[in-house]
């Protein structure tokens, strides 16, 4: 699955490289997916308890993201046991969570 391509189909989504070699997908001025090299993606997976459920289901392919994991972000291996349709749902949820926190003036018009 091409995670970046899917992320960029979301309304108002755009690609950025805030740190050399680290590609992210943003909406407004906020990151909703840390993509990096494409082997894994960090996504907002709800609250930490909700995100921990994914870690329990896919212990070899999902882990708590460094630094931002306490806020419900998980690192998900692309091409692992997490099915592509579920990965798409997780991207959708991360996007929706970030859009909901944007000021109304910065939210994409759908």
């Amino acid at each position: 699955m091409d995670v970046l391509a899917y992320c960029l189909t979301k309304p108002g989504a755009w690609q950025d490289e805030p740190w050399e070699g680290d590609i992210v997908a943003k909406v407004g001025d906020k990151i909703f997916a840390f993509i990096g090299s494409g082997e894994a993606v960090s996504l907002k997976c709800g609250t930490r308890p909700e995100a921990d459920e994914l870690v329990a289901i896919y212990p070899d392919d999902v882990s708590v993201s460094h630094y931002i994991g306490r806020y419900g972000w998980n690192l998900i291996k692309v091409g692992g046991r997490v099915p592509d349709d579920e990965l798409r749902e997780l991207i959708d949820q991360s996007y929706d969570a970030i859009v909901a926190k944007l000021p109304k003036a910065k939210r994409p018009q759908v």
Side-chain angles (χ1 to χ4, degrees):
M1 173 178 173
D2 187 338
V3 172
L4 177 60
Y6 184 73
C7 288
L8 296 179
T9 66
K10 310 305 284 171
W14 59 285
Q15 178 180 334
D16 194 12
E17 190 175 333
W19 309 279
E20 188 174 334
D22 285 335
I23 296 172
V24 300
K26 288 184 170 182
V27 59
D29 60 350
K30 301 290 184 191
I31 297 170
F32 70 93
F34 291 87
I35 299 163
S37 67
E39 294 176 9
V41 59
S42 283
L43 300 168
K44 174 78 171 147
C45 296
T47 63
R48 186 68 259 154
E50 292 167 339
D52 285 341
E53 291 177 21
L54 272 175
V55 175
I57 295 168
Y58 304 107
D60 295 331
D61 296 304
V62 179
S63 60
V64 177
S65 294
H66 296 290
Y67 308 112
I68 57 174
R70 66 178 173 257
Y71 302 110
W73 288 78
N74 281 345
L75 181 67
I76 302 160
K77 182 178 175 186
V78 176
R81 293 182 183 258
V82 179
D84 285 351
D85 60 335
E86 188 168 358
L87 183 54
R88 282 187 207 91
E89 282 182 33
L90 293 169
I91 292 168
D92 294 347
Q93 290 171 6
S94 184
Y95 171 85
D96 291 343
I98 300 306
V99 167
K101 292 183 178 183
L102 290 173
K104 289 188 186 212
K106 292 190 175 189
R107 292 182 189 168
Q109 301 301 315
V110 193

